[in-house]
Amino acid sequence: MYGKALAQTAGTAVIRAADAEILPFEFRQQANAFSRYVDELKKLAKEMRDEVLERHRQIDEGVFAATADPRKRFVPPVKEEVPPFLNFAPLENASAFLTDAATRYEKAQDRAASVRHAIPSLDKKLIESERRLTHAAGLPNRPWFKHLIYAPGLYTGYAVKTLPGVREAIEQKKWKEAEQEILRAAEAIRSEAEVILSAAEELERMAEKNVVRQKSHAD
């Protein structure tokens, strides 16, 4: 059943792309998803920090010793490093830039709706947009996974992790690595946004030329 549904979906997508004058790419939903992923990471980092601070409070107040079973050997927990405040600004800024680029591209698509011929240079940019989300060095400990936004989790089998380099570094409390991965992911998103912005500008030029041509024919 799943194989049939997958084949039908993939086949429809291929036919739709093959028959399109301009590849039917849409970026607003992607931009919204990326923004949500960043919010999830910020929440994860805050929860981990709050959890450690709460445990430290309980240790200082003797909560564990007070609730320990006196008939059993008790080893009180020790304090661990408090997770630092991570700088998510690069990811937030890149995500906002992508949202702006996606919005402009959507508007350019509407303006260029009357274009009825293929634009190979534009299609090339649209194809390139997804490739900008990869990195030649791959993910930490998994250089064969090149995509910086989506990848199977290191310990989750096929279950996906979003912004995996950042997320897994936070989960493993590798704070320096988390900062580095934030910068890498932000650069990838910004790079994609630049391609989308370039595609929007090309569509805008095509739409303007089309308007001028139509006015010329009307005169």
Side-chain angles (χ1 to χ4, degrees):
M1 181 176 66
Y2 293 112
K4 180 181 178 180
L6 181 60
Q8 290 173 333
T9 301
T12 301
V14 169
I15 293 171
R16 174 70 179 89
D19 288 343
E21 287 82 11
I22 299 171
L23 288 175
F25 281 25
E26 191 275 336
F27 299 100
R28 282 288 295 276
Q29 293 299 319
Q30 183 190 63
N32 292 339
F34 287 7
S35 178
R36 186 171 67 253
Y37 300 157
V38 175
D39 289 341
E40 290 172 356
L41 290 178
K42 291 166 61 180
K43 180 181 178 182
L44 172 63
K46 182 180 184 303
E47 288 176 346
M48 291 182 65
R49 179 179 174 82
D50 290 346
E51 181 181 344
V52 171
L53 289 174
E54 174 62 17
R55 187 177 300 113
H56 285 191
R57 183 192 66 78
Q58 293 174 345
I59 292 173
D60 290 339
E61 294 179 359
V63 172
F64 295 101
T67 57
D69 187 340
R71 296 168 298 178
K72 298 179 180 179
R73 184 171 178 269
F74 171 67
V75 178
V78 297
K79 290 185 176 181
E80 61 180 280
E81 177 188 1
V82 176
F85 288 104
L86 297 174
N87 180 18
F88 289 101
L91 269 176
E92 292 173 310
N93 291 332
S95 178
F97 182 34
L98 176 61
T99 298
D100 291 343
T103 301
R104 184 168 174 180
Y105 182 79
E106 185 175 72
K107 292 178 179 178
Q109 274 185 313
D110 293 338
R111 289 182 58 191
S114 59
V115 175
R116 292 290 182 263
H117 59 85
I119 310 174
S121 58
L122 176 62
D123 285 346
K124 184 176 181 180
K125 291 175 183 176
L126 295 175
I127 293 171
E128 176 66 19
S129 64
E130 184 71 20
R131 294 173 179 169
R132 294 296 181 95
L133 298 175
T134 65
H135 194 285
L139 295 174
N141 305 311
R142 293 177 292 168
W144 53 90
F145 282 115
K146 308 297 183 182
H147 209 287
L148 299 185
I149 311 300
Y150 300 107
L154 190 59
Y155 301 109
T156 60
Y158 287 109
V160 69
K161 285 290 183 75
T162 55
L163 292 168
V166 184
R167 187 179 297 274
E168 291 179 338
I170 293 174
E171 292 172 343
Q172 297 169 23
K173 302 179 181 180
K174 298 179 178 179
W175 310 120
K176 184 176 181 180
E177 184 176 293
E179 292 279 10
Q180 294 170 343
E181 290 303 306
I182 286 173
L183 294 177
R184 280 213 307 161
E187 179 56 33
I189 294 172
R190 178 169 289 276
S191 181
E192 184 201 27
E194 289 171 350
V195 173
I196 295 170
L197 193 59
S198 177
E201 291 169 349
E202 184 168 353
L203 264 183
E204 290 166 352
R205 290 193 296 270
M206 292 297 300
E208 186 63 32
K209 288 180 180 179
N210 202 41
V211 170
V212 171
R213 188 181 301 111
Q214 289 175 350
K215 287 183 178 179
S216 177
H217 289 166
D219 295 338

